[in-house]
Amino acid sequence: MCHPSWGRARAAAQRLDDLARLRRVRDRIDREYAQPLNVEALARGAHMSAGHLSREFRRAYGESPYSYLMTRRIERAMALLRRGDLSVTEVCFAVGCSSLGTFSTRFTELVGMPPSAYRDQTAHPAEGMPPCVAKQVTRPIRNQEAPIAAPDGFAWEAASPALAH
């Protein structure tokens, strides 16, 4: 019969191995965000089942692999839209999205405005703002936490009780 601490040590070693695989998956998403990635392909590359990858990724990083991928794509889309030389459709395909509708919906959820409005507002940033500052200031917000913009352009926090402080 095995000593109880051996079981704990084996579980800890497995957890470390899973974390290393999850880091490789996250790194792959960061590198290949514009490629056609899905959970099944990512799981195969990590030698895990899709369900196990999704559960462990969420446990480690607080969001699903798909959500993480879409956030990376939206971050890159924001940078391309700030340049102002590409249409929203061109940006959508350049960041790896195959559906303009899904891209626009997710962009609006994370940023708080449609991609076309974002492009119009940011295509000519204020003089003297370095790109690294613009990137930090305009970073997308995850989990639909973007403030709701009123018609006058003033941002209001969502009135949902679930989001109340």
Side-chain angles (χ1 to χ4, degrees), residues 45-69:
H47 307 292
M48 300 172 127
S49 72
H52 184 67
L53 171 65
S54 291
R55 280 188 305 277
E56 293 302 311
F57 196 95
R58 182 179 299 275
R59 191 168 132 193
Y61 301 113
E63 64 183 322
S64 70
Y66 176 77
S67 178
Y68 185 84
L69 170 62

mmCIF file of all heavy atoms in Angstrom, residues 45-69:
data_model
loop_
_atom_site.group_PDB
_atom_site.id
_atom_site.type_symbol
_atom_site.label_atom_id
_atom_site.label_comp_id
_atom_site.label_asym_id
_atom_site.label_seq_id
_atom_site.Cartn_x
_atom_site.Cartn_y
_atom_site.Cartn_z
ATOM 1 N N GLY A 45 -3.038 19.984 -29.091
ATOM 2 C CA GLY A 45 -1.658 20.439 -28.983
ATOM 3 C C GLY A 45 -1.104 20.308 -27.575
ATOM 4 O O GLY A 45 0.107 20.178 -27.388
ATOM 5 N N ALA A 46 -1.978 20.344 -26.582
ATOM 6 C CA ALA A 46 -1.556 20.241 -25.178
ATOM 7 C C ALA A 46 -1.706 18.825 -24.642
ATOM 8 O O ALA A 46 -1.453 18.583 -23.455
ATOM 9 C CB ALA A 46 -2.369 21.196 -24.318
ATOM 10 N N HIS A 47 -2.138 17.885 -25.490
ATOM 11 C CA HIS A 47 -2.350 16.491 -25.094
ATOM 12 C C HIS A 47 -3.339 16.399 -23.929
ATOM 13 O O HIS A 47 -3.108 15.705 -22.941
ATOM 14 C CB HIS A 47 -1.024 15.806 -24.739
ATOM 15 C CG HIS A 47 0.001 15.922 -25.821
ATOM 16 N ND1 HIS A 47 -0.143 15.291 -27.031
ATOM 17 C CD2 HIS A 47 1.148 16.626 -25.889
ATOM 18 C CE1 HIS A 47 0.888 15.587 -27.806
ATOM 19 N NE2 HIS A 47 1.691 16.399 -27.140
ATOM 20 N N MET A 48 -4.447 17.138 -24.075
ATOM 21 C CA MET A 48 -5.526 17.136 -23.085
ATOM 22 C C MET A 48 -6.845 16.994 -23.840
ATOM 23 O O MET A 48 -6.907 17.274 -25.041
ATOM 24 C CB MET A 48 -5.584 18.458 -22.309
ATOM 25 C CG MET A 48 -4.352 18.831 -21.530
ATOM 26 S SD MET A 48 -4.523 20.525 -20.889
ATOM 27 C CE MET A 48 -4.205 20.259 -19.178
ATOM 28 N N SER A 49 -7.885 16.617 -23.119
ATOM 29 C CA SER A 49 -9.215 16.644 -23.727
ATOM 30 C C SER A 49 -9.694 18.092 -23.728
ATOM 31 O O SER A 49 -9.234 18.923 -22.936
ATOM 32 C CB SER A 49 -10.191 15.767 -22.937
ATOM 33 O OG SER A 49 -10.515 16.384 -21.698
ATOM 34 N N ALA A 50 -10.619 18.397 -24.617
ATOM 35 C CA ALA A 50 -11.134 19.760 -24.718
ATOM 36 C C ALA A 50 -11.811 20.180 -23.411
ATOM 37 O O ALA A 50 -11.640 21.314 -22.946
ATOM 38 C CB ALA A 50 -12.109 19.877 -25.887
ATOM 39 N N GLY A 51 -12.563 19.275 -22.807
ATOM 40 C CA GLY A 51 -13.236 19.584 -21.547
ATOM 41 C C GLY A 51 -12.251 19.865 -20.422
ATOM 42 O O GLY A 51 -12.424 20.811 -19.653
ATOM 43 N N HIS A 52 -11.222 19.029 -20.327
ATOM 44 C CA HIS A 52 -10.219 19.209 -19.273
ATOM 45 C C HIS A 52 -9.468 20.526 -19.489
ATOM 46 O O HIS A 52 -9.240 21.283 -18.540
ATOM 47 C CB HIS A 52 -9.248 18.025 -19.259
ATOM 48 C CG HIS A 52 -8.246 18.071 -18.152
ATOM 49 N ND1 HIS A 52 -8.588 17.936 -16.835
ATOM 50 C CD2 HIS A 52 -6.900 18.265 -18.174
ATOM 51 C CE1 HIS A 52 -7.502 18.034 -16.087
ATOM 52 N NE2 HIS A 52 -6.458 18.238 -16.882
ATOM 53 N N LEU A 53 -9.103 20.823 -20.735
ATOM 54 C CA LEU A 53 -8.419 22.082 -21.033
ATOM 55 C C LEU A 53 -9.292 23.270 -20.624
ATOM 56 O O LEU A 53 -8.820 24.192 -19.954
ATOM 57 C CB LEU A 53 -8.064 22.184 -22.517
ATOM 58 C CG LEU A 53 -7.531 23.553 -22.957
ATOM 59 C CD1 LEU A 53 -6.197 23.874 -22.294
ATOM 60 C CD2 LEU A 53 -7.407 23.617 -24.458
ATOM 61 N N SER A 54 -10.546 23.250 -21.008
ATOM 62 C CA SER A 54 -11.441 24.371 -20.691
ATOM 63 C C SER A 54 -11.588 24.560 -19.183
ATOM 64 O O SER A 54 -11.491 25.691 -18.692
ATOM 65 C CB SER A 54 -12.822 24.147 -21.316
ATOM 66 O OG SER A 54 -12.742 24.240 -22.712
ATOM 67 N N ARG A 55 -11.800 23.469 -18.449
ATOM 68 C CA ARG A 55 -11.958 23.563 -16.988
ATOM 69 C C ARG A 55 -10.692 24.087 -16.326
ATOM 70 O O ARG A 55 -10.735 24.989 -15.493
ATOM 71 C CB ARG A 55 -12.301 22.189 -16.405
ATOM 72 C CG ARG A 55 -13.743 21.789 -16.540
ATOM 73 C CD ARG A 55 -14.034 20.513 -15.762
ATOM 74 N NE ARG A 55 -13.173 19.397 -16.117
ATOM 75 C CZ ARG A 55 -13.372 18.585 -17.152
ATOM 76 N NH1 ARG A 55 -14.414 18.737 -17.937
ATOM 77 N NH2 ARG A 55 -12.534 17.588 -17.401
ATOM 78 N N GLU A 56 -9.541 23.529 -16.706
ATOM 79 C CA GLU A 56 -8.285 23.909 -16.066
ATOM 80 C C GLU A 56 -7.842 25.316 -16.469
ATOM 81 O O GLU A 56 -7.289 26.048 -15.659
ATOM 82 C CB GLU A 56 -7.194 22.882 -16.381
ATOM 83 C CG GLU A 56 -7.445 21.522 -15.746
ATOM 84 C CD GLU A 56 -7.582 21.595 -14.235
ATOM 85 O OE1 GLU A 56 -6.727 22.219 -13.574
ATOM 86 O OE2 GLU A 56 -8.558 21.047 -13.701
ATOM 87 N N PHE A 57 -8.105 25.693 -17.714
ATOM 88 C CA PHE A 57 -7.751 27.050 -18.172
ATOM 89 C C PHE A 57 -8.562 28.076 -17.386
ATOM 90 O O PHE A 57 -8.028 29.073 -16.904
ATOM 91 C CB PHE A 57 -8.026 27.188 -19.679
ATOM 92 C CG PHE A 57 -7.364 28.372 -20.315
ATOM 93 C CD1 PHE A 57 -6.141 28.240 -20.941
ATOM 94 C CD2 PHE A 57 -7.961 29.637 -20.307
ATOM 95 C CE1 PHE A 57 -5.514 29.333 -21.546
ATOM 96 C CE2 PHE A 57 -7.354 30.731 -20.896
ATOM 97 C CZ PHE A 57 -6.124 30.573 -21.521
ATOM 98 N N ARG A 58 -9.857 27.814 -17.246
ATOM 99 C CA ARG A 58 -10.718 28.726 -16.485
ATOM 100 C C ARG A 58 -10.260 28.791 -15.031
ATOM 101 O O ARG A 58 -10.223 29.862 -14.426
ATOM 102 C CB ARG A 58 -12.170 28.292 -16.561
ATOM 103 C CG ARG A 58 -13.108 29.251 -15.813
ATOM 104 C CD ARG A 58 -14.561 28.837 -15.911
ATOM 105 N NE ARG A 58 -15.072 28.802 -17.258
ATOM 106 C CZ ARG A 58 -15.553 29.863 -17.907
ATOM 107 N NH1 ARG A 58 -15.549 31.030 -17.320
ATOM 108 N NH2 ARG A 58 -16.012 29.746 -19.121
ATOM 109 N N ARG A 59 -9.904 27.649 -14.470
ATOM 110 C CA ARG A 59 -9.435 27.605 -13.082
ATOM 111 C C ARG A 59 -8.137 28.401 -12.908
ATOM 112 O O ARG A 59 -7.961 29.128 -11.941
ATOM 113 C CB ARG A 59 -9.227 26.148 -12.674
ATOM 114 C CG ARG A 59 -9.002 25.949 -11.204
ATOM 115 C CD ARG A 59 -9.100 24.473 -10.885
ATOM 116 N NE ARG A 59 -7.956 24.115 -10.071
ATOM 117 C CZ ARG A 59 -7.576 22.904 -9.806
ATOM 118 N NH1 ARG A 59 -8.235 21.883 -10.318
ATOM 119 N NH2 ARG A 59 -6.547 22.674 -9.048
ATOM 120 N N ALA A 60 -7.231 28.300 -13.879
ATOM 121 C CA ALA A 60 -5.934 28.964 -13.783
ATOM 122 C C ALA A 60 -6.002 30.458 -14.131
ATOM 123 O O ALA A 60 -5.337 31.268 -13.499
ATOM 124 C CB ALA A 60 -4.919 28.271 -14.700
ATOM 125 N N TYR A 61 -6.806 30.824 -15.144
ATOM 126 C CA TYR A 61 -6.780 32.186 -15.661
ATOM 127 C C TYR A 61 -8.088 32.958 -15.497
ATOM 128 O O TYR A 61 -8.165 34.130 -15.870
ATOM 129 C CB TYR A 61 -6.353 32.196 -17.132
ATOM 130 C CG TYR A 61 -4.989 31.580 -17.326
ATOM 131 C CD1 TYR A 61 -4.827 30.395 -18.018
ATOM 132 C CD2 TYR A 61 -3.863 32.180 -16.773
ATOM 133 C CE1 TYR A 61 -3.576 29.824 -18.175
ATOM 134 C CE2 TYR A 61 -2.608 31.614 -16.928
ATOM 135 C CZ TYR A 61 -2.478 30.439 -17.625
ATOM 136 O OH TYR A 61 -1.238 29.881 -17.777
ATOM 137 N N GLY A 62 -9.116 32.315 -14.973
ATOM 138 C CA GLY A 62 -10.360 33.017 -14.694
ATOM 139 C C GLY A 62 -11.286 33.212 -15.876
ATOM 140 O O GLY A 62 -12.301 33.892 -15.756
ATOM 141 N N GLU A 63 -10.947 32.646 -17.016
ATOM 142 C CA GLU A 63 -11.813 32.725 -18.186
ATOM 143 C C GLU A 63 -11.539 31.544 -19.100
ATOM 144 O O GLU A 63 -10.513 30.885 -18.983
ATOM 145 C CB GLU A 63 -11.623 34.052 -18.918
ATOM 146 C CG GLU A 63 -10.250 34.266 -19.499
ATOM 147 C CD GLU A 63 -10.099 35.637 -20.143
ATOM 148 O OE1 GLU A 63 -11.055 36.127 -20.787
ATOM 149 O OE2 GLU A 63 -9.026 36.228 -19.996
ATOM 150 N N SER A 64 -12.463 31.291 -19.992
ATOM 151 C CA SER A 64 -12.315 30.163 -20.916
ATOM 152 C C SER A 64 -11.245 30.464 -21.962
ATOM 153 O O SER A 64 -10.925 31.631 -22.217
ATOM 154 C CB SER A 64 -13.646 29.881 -21.612
ATOM 155 O OG SER A 64 -13.937 30.929 -22.525
ATOM 156 N N PRO A 65 -10.704 29.424 -22.596
ATOM 157 C CA PRO A 65 -9.735 29.663 -23.675
ATOM 158 C C PRO A 65 -10.321 30.511 -24.806
ATOM 159 O O PRO A 65 -9.647 31.385 -25.353
ATOM 160 C CB PRO A 65 -9.373 28.261 -24.177
ATOM 161 C CG PRO A 65 -9.736 27.338 -23.074
ATOM 162 C CD PRO A 65 -10.869 27.989 -22.336
ATOM 163 N N TYR A 66 -11.584 30.290 -25.135
ATOM 164 C CA TYR A 66 -12.232 31.068 -26.199
ATOM 165 C C TYR A 66 -12.321 32.543 -25.811
ATOM 166 O O TYR A 66 -12.019 33.434 -26.617
ATOM 167 C CB TYR A 66 -13.628 30.511 -26.498
ATOM 168 C CG TYR A 66 -14.370 31.338 -27.513
ATOM 169 C CD1 TYR A 66 -14.072 31.239 -28.868
ATOM 170 C CD2 TYR A 66 -15.356 32.251 -27.125
ATOM 171 C CE1 TYR A 66 -14.732 32.013 -29.812
ATOM 172 C CE2 TYR A 66 -16.022 33.026 -28.061
ATOM 173 C CZ TYR A 66 -15.704 32.897 -29.403
ATOM 174 O OH TYR A 66 -16.354 33.668 -30.330
ATOM 175 N N SER A 67 -12.708 32.816 -24.580
ATOM 176 C CA SER A 67 -12.800 34.196 -24.110
ATOM 177 C C SER A 67 -11.432 34.866 -24.142
ATOM 178 O O SER A 67 -11.297 36.021 -24.554
ATOM 179 C CB SER A 67 -13.389 34.239 -22.704
ATOM 180 O OG SER A 67 -13.443 35.552 -22.229
ATOM 181 N N TYR A 68 -10.401 34.156 -23.715
ATOM 182 C CA TYR A 68 -9.034 34.692 -23.738
ATOM 183 C C TYR A 68 -8.618 34.997 -25.178
ATOM 184 O O TYR A 68 -8.062 36.060 -25.456
ATOM 185 C CB TYR A 68 -8.071 33.696 -23.085
ATOM 186 C CG TYR A 68 -6.667 34.226 -22.962
ATOM 187 C CD1 TYR A 68 -6.295 35.041 -21.894
ATOM 188 C CD2 TYR A 68 -5.705 33.917 -23.923
ATOM 189 C CE1 TYR A 68 -5.005 35.545 -21.792
ATOM 190 C CE2 TYR A 68 -4.415 34.415 -23.823
ATOM 191 C CZ TYR A 68 -4.071 35.227 -22.749
ATOM 192 O OH TYR A 68 -2.799 35.724 -22.655
ATOM 193 N N LEU A 69 -8.906 34.079 -26.097
ATOM 194 C CA LEU A 69 -8.574 34.274 -27.511
ATOM 195 C C LEU A 69 -9.287 35.508 -28.065
ATOM 196 O O LEU A 69 -8.669 36.353 -28.727
ATOM 197 C CB LEU A 69 -8.966 33.041 -28.321
ATOM 198 C CG LEU A 69 -8.901 33.161 -29.850
ATOM 199 C CD1 LEU A 69 -7.484 33.435 -30.317
ATOM 200 C CD2 LEU A 69 -9.458 31.899 -30.504
#
